[in-house]
Amino acid sequence: MNNPFSVANQGKGVYGVLARATTLAQRYGLSSSKMDSAFEQLMLILNEFECSATLPVTAKPLSRNLSSVHRLQSQGIELAVHGNTHVDYSQLAFEQQFDQIIHASQIFKKSGLLASGFRCPYLRWNLDTLKAISELGFEYDSSQALAWDVAAGKETEAYHRVLEFYHAQMAEEYLSLPRMVGDLVRIPYCLPDDEALVERLNMDNRTGISDIWLAMLDRIYSAGELFTLGLHPERSFQCKDALYAVLEKARSLSPTVWIARLSEIAKWYRSLGQVTFSSWVHNNGATHVNVHAPREATLLARSVDIQGPKKDWANGYEHVLSNEIVLKSERFPWIGLAPDCPDSMKSFLKHQGFLVENSSNPTAFTYYFQREFFDSKDERPLLAELESEDSPLLRVSRWPSGAQAALAVTGDVDAFTLWDYGLRLFNS
Ligand SMILES: [Zn+2]
């Protein structure tokens, strides 16, 4: 198995590792009391904004600090599995990964702790990781790094190196949204997180971190996407003003930002894939539409002549207040897909809340697509095409309860004490 110290080396560079070593003693103590204070600081802010967070925890240190973890769970924090030991899973064979992850799950279960999600140590995963966690029944993975271009002029070589180390995708190309991979929901992890800001971009002033995260929130809110704000609890004090600023801003926006834990986001994302609708055309030419969606779903309409109550929403959409509607439109205001379009395209559109119908009649719908291939690189351009016009469109909102965007506070717990950190060198 890998030496985790050498893995850390690749990510941070030698100077980064040495610099980190000097700060470890400030963050961790011989007991978990320093980390417990850091958790309390995090909880103070989360409680003020009536929200929670998702903390993936490495199982071995968790097993040595059960009282701290039970306290977190009882306070409503969602726990997720962050490996059994803190090693680079992408370097392990499938069987080794499977053994590590099943062992971690057993530690959680034996300790009475719930965890339906997974995040790889160092955000380093491969297809075997996804296979292992799918077979073990995890609901979601949150190991894919997604970098936002918000640090222009401040970027360092160390930051570029860590983006490479994480195999980060760039947000200009990839959506900051959950994605189905087989049966698994994959939720991206946004960068820069606290660690990148403090240790790679050398931002030790609170304002700098706030500015970066607020810029990310602005971009993500406009796009209606998901901000997974990465904050390792060990830096709760250092980043408290920035976290406060982001949550305060998020709570002030209208339409709202849905602040949720990753398991709730995964569950909601799955439920959008189950939305169905039926339609029929009346003798007088009006179209009846009945949308079967989760209770929290919001029906949105753009440039559609709808009889019935509705109110303004955002981005040219109206919020339709009933799921059974009558509308007048030359073409059906939803998306037609040619029969040979890949299933991945239909699944993607449905999970965004679009109403989709397979049809060989290209003129029956506002939008009609005929494509042989569709992969994750095609997603952002397709959404841009759908959102750039004001052609008639009826859809379900991407987020529940009329929210425009989503935010999840999440950060890994690799260690609770200096002992835990030291034991990482021995894969324990
Ligand atoms: Zn970690």
Side-chain angles (χ1 to χ4, degrees):
M1 189 173 289
N2 297 300
N3 178 345
F5 190 75
S6 68
V7 174
N9 235 339
Q10 293 168 41
K12 299 181 172 95
V14 175
Y15 294 112
V17 170
L18 291 174
R20 179 156 173 79
T22 59
T23 60
L24 285 177
Q26 293 166 337
R27 288 205 190 109
Y28 303 105
L30 295 176
S31 76
S32 64
S33 61
K34 279 194 178 175
M35 272 301 274
D36 289 339
S37 306
F39 291 137
E40 277 168 32
Q41 174 59 60
L42 179 64
M43 287 309 303
L44 267 180
I45 300 176
L46 296 174
N47 287 339
E48 180 157 348
F49 292 98
E50 296 178 345
C51 59
S52 186
T54 301
L55 303 183
V57 187
T58 309
K60 280 282 176 70
L62 169 141
S63 68
R64 294 189 289 265
N65 298 278
L66 285 175
S67 60
S68 301
V69 188
H70 278 291
R71 196 175 313 119
L72 290 171
Q73 185 169 267
S74 69
Q75 289 169 323
I77 292 285
E78 180 203 351
L79 303 171
V81 176
H82 187 47
N84 185 42
T85 55
H86 203 276
V87 296
D88 180 354
Y89 280 56
S90 70
Q91 301 299 308
L92 302 180
F94 170 75
E95 292 75 18
Q96 292 171 301
Q97 295 198 49
F98 190 90
D99 283 353
Q100 281 268 324
I101 300 167
I102 198 168
H103 201 76
S105 291
Q106 284 164 352
I107 290 176
F108 273 71
K109 271 190 198 127
K110 264 191 259 167
S111 311
L113 298 165
L114 304 169
S116 63
F118 185 83
R119 178 175 298 137
C120 272
Y122 309 109
L123 303 175
R124 282 169 67 87
W125 59 277
N126 62 20
L127 291 176
D128 284 340
T129 321
L130 304 188
K131 185 166 177 254
I133 58 179
S134 288
E135 286 185 14
L136 288 167
F138 281 88
E139 293 287 327
Y140 72 87
D141 166 71
S142 178
S143 304
Q144 176 62 60
L146 183 82
W148 289 85
D149 181 19
V150 284
K154 296 169 185 160
E155 291 178 7
T156 59
E157 200 191 314
Y159 183 59
H160 287 295
R161 197 164 54 229
V162 85
L163 292 187
E164 208 174 297
F165 177 64
Y166 292 153
H167 298 297
Q169 295 178 337
M170 302 309 292
E172 289 80 19
E173 289 179 74
Y174 292 91
L175 294 163
S176 189
L177 289 172
R179 153 174 305 119
M180 291 304 297
V181 175
D183 240 4
L184 195 66
V185 179
R186 298 209 68 204
I187 301 176
Y189 177 84
C190 292
L191 292 172
D193 62 356
D194 63 310
E195 191 172 322
L197 288 162
V198 172
E199 298 196 14
R200 275 67 171 201
L201 294 166
N202 306 318
M203 289 194 188
D204 54 4
N205 71 80
R206 292 165 180 174
T207 319
I209 297 174
S210 302
D211 289 347
I212 296 273
W213 280 350
L214 286 171
M216 286 165 78
L217 178 63
D218 277 352
R219 299 258 291 268
I220 291 166
Y221 183 75
S222 311
E225 295 180 14
L226 164 66
F227 185 4
T228 43
L229 185 152
L231 171 55
H232 295 72
E234 68 204 56
R235 292 193 196 80
S236 314
F237 287 104
Q238 207 168 354
C239 300
K240 68 180 165 61
D241 292 354
L243 176 63
Y244 195 98
V246 170
L247 292 175
E248 190 176 41
K249 178 78 190 289
R251 283 291 189 224
S252 74
L253 294 167
S254 177
T256 57
V257 175
W258 183 43
I259 307 179
R261 296 171 293 191
L262 295 182
S263 59
E264 295 168 291
I265 289 167
K267 191 174 169 206
W268 171 255
Y269 189 72
R270 276 181 199 282
S271 73
L272 275 183
Q274 309 298 319
V275 171
T276 58
F277 71 105
S278 51
S279 67
W280 65 99
V281 180
H282 200 263
N283 289 341
N284 65 7
T287 303
H288 292 243
V289 184
N290 197 352
V291 179
H292 313 278
R295 194 167 43 86
E296 301 84 0
T298 302
L299 193 60
L300 300 176
R302 183 181 70 193
S303 311
V304 186
D305 180 5
I306 291 176
Q307 296 161 25
K310 51 194 186 289
K311 59 183 183 183
D312 283 346
W313 193 69
N315 303 330
Y317 283 96
E318 288 175 309
H319 174 185
V320 184
L321 300 175
S322 166
N323 281 8
E324 272 190 74
I325 55 172
V326 178
L327 59 87
K328 282 190 180 159
S329 180
E330 253 177 57
R331 298 177 178 209
F332 296 130
W334 50 86
I335 298 171
L337 288 185
D340 54 354
C341 272
D343 288 345
S344 57
M345 185 172 179
K346 186 173 187 182
S347 167
F348 168 72
L349 287 166
K350 284 192 71 171
H351 281 102
Q352 305 314 308
F354 291 110
L355 306 182
V356 183
E357 185 176 333
N358 285 109
S359 169
S360 43
N361 183 0
T363 58
F365 309 90
T366 310
Y367 293 96
Y368 186 83
F369 297 102
Q370 188 158 24
R371 294 195 184 172
E372 284 176 37
F373 303 103
F374 187 80
D375 69 19
S376 51
K377 276 211 163 184
D378 300 317
E379 293 171 354
R380 195 172 273 295
L382 177 63
L383 287 191
E385 184 179 342
L386 291 167
E387 297 297 349
S388 65
E389 304 171 16
D390 57 1
S391 304
L393 194 59
L394 185 67
R395 61 169 297 180
V396 171
S397 65
R398 181 181 285 147
W399 305 113
S401 308
Q404 171 156 329
L407 168 65
V409 178
T410 179
D412 308 333
V413 180
D414 307 344
F416 295 76
T417 66
L418 273 175
W419 301 113
D420 292 332
Y421 208 88
L423 285 166
R424 280 171 56 166
L425 304 180
F426 303 97
N427 294 335
S428 189

